[in-house]
Amino acid sequence: MATQFVIDGLKATIEGKEILKGINLSMKGGEIHAIMGPNGTGKSTLASALMGHPKYEVTEGTATLNDEDLMEMAVDERARAGLFLAMQYPSEISGVTNSDFLRSAINARREEGSEISLIKFIRQMEGKMKELDMNPEFAHRYLNEGFSGGEKKRNEILQMMLLDPKVVILDEIDSGLDIDALKIVAQGVNAMRSEDRAFLVITHYQRLLNYVKPDFVHVMMQGRIVKSGGPELAERLEAEGYDWVKAELGIEDETVGQA
Ligand code: ADP
Ligand code: MG
């Protein structure tokens, strides 16, 4: 079945405060959707709520991947169903090496008894690290510990490549990247484009979208998608900022206000 990801009326709260106020979004395999928006408008909350971060309570709505509601699943089940999130601020885990983490993540998505062999895993990991121009020593470092911003982001893309997900959410994957690292990350994303994979690229700036070309662009404000269009929308936002969108909507404060 062709990948189909549909978010319908999703609402979520943090500590009782409503942040997501009814998100609707429909993506098909092969498509790249971008969500843009000023800070504090709920973009990362959407990513975290979809992935099942315990801090966020989904109070209404569904997010179905091929007709299965992810919101009914535990976090590991969502990952097994094919959802992947590259976080805006990846965690550091001392004592767990990057390669151990990656192999566990791959095996957690496989049936018992069909774990990836060590040799095969190492071959895959080394191949992908080369594509991402990562120093091989990063395999043996503790997960994200002491990684620079750019190294963390590359490592998120490495995880994505090895996990082969159906729906990929990239939350500000471009932040903290210089132009060379940005190009490498974009190459990694573009190499993963396929008919049965959909991408949701969350970004503040249009810059990334010069390298990862979106089919659809959505603007998020006040916990809602308030405007959608094609790539030209991102270009206009880059040139003119967000004020014209606020004027169109008749709002002064784009952030998620107090509930
Ligand atoms: P964006 O990613 O668009 O910058 P966020 O989703 O991170 O926005 O945040 C949206 C709103 O939710 C902000 O007002 C922020 O302060 C609030 N918020 C996000 N995460 C938390 C949290 N863990 N605890 C309390 N408030 C939060
Ligand atoms: Mg954010």
Side-chain angles (χ1 to χ4, degrees):
M1 182 163 141
T3 297
Q4 184 105 38
F5 182 57
V6 180
I7 305 171
D8 186 11
L10 198 71
K11 295 189 178 181
T13 60
I14 305 166
E15 292 162 2
K17 178 180 163 191
E18 187 170 80
I19 306 291
L20 300 182
K21 301 186 174 166
I23 301 285
N24 300 306
L25 186 66
S26 187
M27 311 201 298
K28 286 200 205 65
E31 293 177 350
I32 295 187
H33 291 243
I35 291 189
M36 300 183 72
N39 279 325
T41 55
K43 302 183 300 299
S44 293
T45 301
L46 174 62
S48 298
L50 289 172
M51 206 62 227
H53 190 291
K55 237 186 139 150
Y56 302 82
E57 190 191 348
V58 171
T59 51
E60 261 185 72
T62 57
T64 54
L65 174 52
N66 298 342
D67 294 328
E68 281 190 290
D69 187 7
L70 298 172
M71 299 302 99
E72 301 288 323
M73 300 181 194
V75 179
D76 61 324
E77 291 173 321
R78 296 181 197 198
R80 251 192 306 264
L83 185 67
F84 176 84
L85 167 63
M87 285 184 289
Q88 184 170 0
Y89 305 107
S91 318
E92 303 187 358
I93 305 182
S94 195
V96 176
T97 67
N98 207 14
S99 84
D100 282 346
F101 172 80
L102 287 167
R103 193 151 69 100
S104 308
I106 291 173
N107 283 332
R109 294 190 48 187
R110 295 187 164 213
E111 301 288 318
E112 219 177 295
S114 66
E115 286 87 357
I116 188 167
S117 77
L118 185 58
I119 304 275
K120 197 170 169 203
F121 166 74
I122 289 174
R123 208 184 298 133
Q124 278 187 11
M125 182 182 60
E126 288 181 347
K128 301 298 180 196
M129 286 180 81
K130 213 175 213 165
E131 277 179 48
L132 291 169
D133 200 20
M134 288 175 76
N135 185 325
E137 76 162 47
F138 279 93
H140 312 294
R141 297 260 301 266
Y142 289 150
L143 182 63
N144 286 323
E145 200 179 69
F147 288 26
S148 72
E151 287 159 354
K152 283 182 184 168
K153 295 305 169 102
R154 260 186 244 206
N155 207 44
E156 294 288 292
I157 296 297
L158 175 65
Q159 286 173 31
M160 172 193 76
M161 289 177 138
L162 290 169
L163 290 172
D164 197 23
K166 292 195 178 80
V167 175
V168 174
I169 305 170
L170 304 174
D171 191 3
E172 305 227 1
I173 196 75
D174 48 335
S175 70
L177 295 187
D178 61 31
I179 194 72
D180 292 329
L182 183 74
K183 283 182 186 169
I184 289 164
V185 161
Q187 260 169 30
V189 171
N190 289 327
M192 291 292 284
R193 279 195 88 155
S194 94
E195 278 312 303
D196 48 29
R197 192 176 353 260
F199 286 87
L200 186 59
V201 178
I202 298 172
T203 182
H204 200 82
Y205 301 105
Q206 204 259 345
R207 189 177 74 140
L208 173 70
L209 306 180
N210 290 329
Y211 301 97
V212 176
K213 296 264 181 239
D215 303 292
F216 302 92
V217 175
H218 312 277
V219 180
M220 195 155 168
M221 285 185 184
Q222 297 183 332
R224 291 189 179 87
I225 289 175
V226 295
K227 200 168 183 63
S228 295
E232 74 289 344
L233 180 54
E235 280 158 27
R236 181 159 181 206
L237 292 169
E238 180 73 359
E240 300 178 35
Y242 288 96
D243 283 349
W244 63 276
V245 182
K246 293 199 287 185
E248 251 183 39
L249 298 168
I251 60 171
E252 299 208 329
D253 183 6
E254 67 278 15
T255 60
V256 181
Q258 295 298 319

